[in-house]
Amino acid sequence: QPDQAAIIERYTEQAVRFLRDHRHEPFFLYLAHMQVHLPLYAPQRFVWRSQNGRYGACVEAIDWSTDVLMRELRALGLSENTLVIFTSDNGSRGDRGGSNGPLHGAKATSWEGGYRVPCIMRWPGRIAPGRISSEMIASIDFLPTLAALAGTSAPTDWRIDGLDVR
């Protein structure tokens, strides 16, 4: 069995390679980290310095990966023309170091803590730095919105529940 803690490093390397291979054309890179899902796997270098156990180490590993990708976008001259979205699929379980505070509830509940998550978007020249929006969107809105931004439309042969939220 491969070293599960090293997966984030391998996926980050593959993502960097993808960016380099596709830097001269439009691209879509979707990187879904599994680090904060059970079981909690984090490289030892993050575990040693974490002040929040293995969960904190997993969060630090995701921060490291994001930093590597942002640095690579800058090095390739792509950072000013690339939309970067950083978000989560659901709230924390509320144990093992995770918290949804100050929201009530946790993953697998219908309370805000179960589904309300941060969504950080960076797109220089299109999204003002520091802009905070109170608009409610969901991940199901990404497909129609990103398709419209790319000048195409979402597939019409199956139902799309999401909305173009531009």
Side-chain angles (χ1 to χ4, degrees):
Q1 178 175 350
D3 177 11
Q4 295 296 316
I7 286 177
I8 191 165
E9 291 158 340
R10 284 197 304 273
Y11 285 169
T12 302
E13 286 175 16
Q14 290 173 354
V16 166
R17 196 166 31 256
F18 177 88
L19 292 174
R20 290 175 181 167
D21 290 347
H22 297 279
R23 68 179 172 260
H24 298 298
E25 60 194 27
F27 62 83
F28 177 82
L29 171 63
Y30 176 76
L31 179 57
H33 290 296
M34 295 302 296
Q35 268 52 48
V36 294
H37 291 82
L38 295 180
L40 297 172
Y41 294 114
Q44 194 60 42
R45 64 188 168 128
F46 298 111
V47 174
W48 286 332
R49 68 178 189 225
S50 172
Q51 295 181 11
N52 190 18
R54 292 190 94 48
Y55 187 90
C58 289
V59 172
E60 284 192 46
I62 292 171
D63 287 349
W64 166 82
S65 177
T66 303
D67 182 57
V68 167
L69 295 175
M70 295 304 294
R71 287 175 187 265
E72 188 64 26
L73 287 171
R74 281 191 295 280
L76 295 172
L78 300 172
S79 84
E80 297 303 305
N81 193 28
T82 301
L83 169 61
V84 176
I85 301 172
F86 185 92
T87 191
S88 181
D89 57 346
N90 50 253
S92 168
R93 289 169 37 109
D95 63 356
R96 301 177 196 230
S99 171
N100 300 316
L103 305 176
H104 181 73
K107 177 179 179 174
T109 72
S110 59
W111 296 99
E112 273 190 293
Y115 62 87
R116 186 175 175 190
V117 296
C119 181
I120 302 167
M121 296 185 184
R122 180 189 183 279
W123 198 4
R126 301 290 292 268
I127 300 174
R131 179 173 177 252
I132 298 175
S133 174
S134 61
E135 295 295 318
M136 177 88 67
I137 66 168
S139 58
I140 61 173
D141 298 323
F142 288 161
L143 175 60
T145 303
L146 295 174
L149 287 169
T152 188
S153 60
T156 58
D157 56 337
W158 42 284
R159 183 180 170 155
I160 304 292
D161 287 333
L163 302 172
D164 177 357
V165 295
R166 290 178 296 154

